[in-house]
Amino acid sequence: MSDDAGPTTTAAAGHAANRNRDRGQTTIDYAIGVSVFLLVVAFVFAFVPSLITPFTDDATDAVVVADRAADRLTRDLLVADATRPSVLDADCTVGFFDDSVTVDGCRYDANASDLDGALGIGSPTRSVNVTIVDGAGSRTLDGTELAVGPDPSRGTDVSVSRRAVLLDDRDWTVFVRVW
């Protein structure tokens, strides 16, 4: 019997040793699995907001609205000659900002009293302010204040577009604020 017990014991011991060698490295497998899981979770949190961004309200369109409104004013509505953009006609500019002044031959149908219509904004949720300032900080030309529209409240995201123009043989700056 001792012959039978010996090899059996040795075979069992060898089988147990093989079983320990065949077993996977669970600590390393666990670490790799957790790392992959954390990378996937980080990826989801990083890129899901960019997937839904086009469907949320964003102020980036205000930049485009401000640029187009400034271009429309300085290249079309307030110029005397379309071939000379950024050279504003003084009479048409005063007539645009002052409802009581009527000037013939200007390139606009609606003046500052209908600012959204004149600039083609067409959005009831957007507010617009147009101000023309000379180098000394003055906003008046021939007694007419060259500013129209409400001022933005504090803390509001405002997109500003500015254009350098020539008005009444002086340098002026047109500011269009949209929020």
Side-chain angles (χ1 to χ4, degrees), residues 92-152:
C92 289
T93 302
V94 168
F96 183 81
F97 285 95
D98 189 358
D99 291 341
S100 64
V101 176
T102 304
V103 181
D104 293 330
C106 294
R107 303 172 58 88
Y108 52 84
D109 295 326
N111 61 7
S113 63
D114 180 20
L115 191 59
D116 291 344
L119 298 178
I121 293 174
S123 174
T125 60
R126 292 276 171 223
S127 296
V128 181
N129 176 292
V130 176
T131 305
I132 303 177
V133 180
D134 69 357
S138 175
R139 301 182 338 176
T140 59
L141 179 66
D142 297 335
T144 300
E145 185 171 358
L146 303 178
V148 66
D151 288 328

Side-chain angles (χ1 to χ4, degrees), residues 2-3 10 17 21-24 26 35 41 48 54 63 79 82 85 89 92 104-105 107-109 121 124 160 167 177:
S2 66
D3 289 338
T10 307
R21 277 186 274 155
D22 290 341
R23 197 173 90 176
T26 57
S35 299
V41 168
V48 166
V63 174
V79 298
D89 182 85
C92 289
D104 293 330
R107 303 172 58 88
Y108 52 84
D109 295 326
I121 293 174
V160 180
L167 172 63
R177 296 173 182 89

Side-chain angles (χ1 to χ4, degrees), residues 5 7 15-16 18 25-26 36 39 61 112 120 123 131 156 167 179:
H15 184 60
N18 285 339
Q25 297 174 342
T26 57
V36 169
L39 286 173
D61 65 331
S123 174
T131 305
T156 304
L167 172 63
W179 64 96

Side-chain angles (χ1 to χ4, degrees), residues 27 40 43 56 58 95 120 123 130 174:
T27 305
V40 168
F43 178 81
T56 60
D58 195 5
S123 174
V130 176
V174 176

